[in-house]
Amino acid sequence: MSYNPILVVEDDPDGQEVVARMLSQVKIHCEIAGTAEDAWVLLQSRAYTGAIIDLSLPGQDGFQLLKAIRSDSQLHSLRCIAITAYHTPELKHDALQYGFDGYFAKPLNRTLFLGSVEDIMFK
């Protein structure tokens, strides 16, 4: 079965590479945006299976991007997973309450992360 790519919204080049490499190991194609603003342009012009969004981005943060996604009639049901290097239990709770479909602290646990990406995005 063929799927649209997953959009990875991550400003750090090393973080982009880590997520892209993990996804490629399980044959999941992704595209990268370095800012929420760049991600929004891509989301308006292409179809994606879902998005993996860093909460700490320059300019608009991950929460602001998710708010725009959930407010858009075409994108409101897009599956979105939050990732962050600034993990706290409160931040995880807030992200899930805000409407993210999943949440992961960096460094990402490869097995848990990929299993959840497949469950959230493709089932």
Side-chain angles (χ1 to χ4, degrees):
M1 184 177 249
S2 173
Y3 294 100
N4 292 318
I6 290 176
L7 181 60
V8 175
V9 189
E10 166 66 72
D11 62 310
D12 178 60
D14 291 336
Q16 292 171 357
E17 184 179 334
V18 167
V19 174
R21 187 178 319 119
M22 282 186 190
L23 294 173
S24 72
Q25 289 172 349
V26 291
K27 309 286 190 259
I28 298 173
H29 178 68
C30 70
E31 294 182 0
I32 307 287
T35 67
E37 294 81 3
D38 290 344
W40 187 250
V41 170
L42 291 172
L43 288 166
Q44 296 296 308
S45 63
R46 299 185 185 142
Y48 291 95
T49 295
I52 297 169
I53 303 170
D54 186 6
L55 293 179
S56 181
L57 297 166
Q60 290 184 353
D61 66 18
F63 285 104
Q64 291 168 308
L65 177 57
L66 183 70
K67 182 178 180 181
I69 290 168
R70 296 294 184 242
S71 299
D72 185 275
S73 63
Q74 300 296 313
L75 297 172
H76 66 89
S77 62
L78 185 74
R79 305 285 174 98
C80 296
I81 296 173
I83 58 174
T84 184
Y86 304 102
H87 169 68
T88 65
E90 296 80 16
L91 183 58
K92 179 177 182 176
H93 176 267
D94 292 349
L96 295 173
Q97 287 295 311
Y98 203 79
F100 280 97
D101 300 292
Y103 172 97
F104 288 91
K106 297 176 190 174
L108 299 171
N109 175 302
R110 181 187 181 282
T111 303
L112 290 175
F113 178 69
L114 290 176
S116 291
V117 166
E118 289 178 331
D119 286 345
I120 292 168
M121 301 289 183
F122 302 109
K123 293 183 179 170

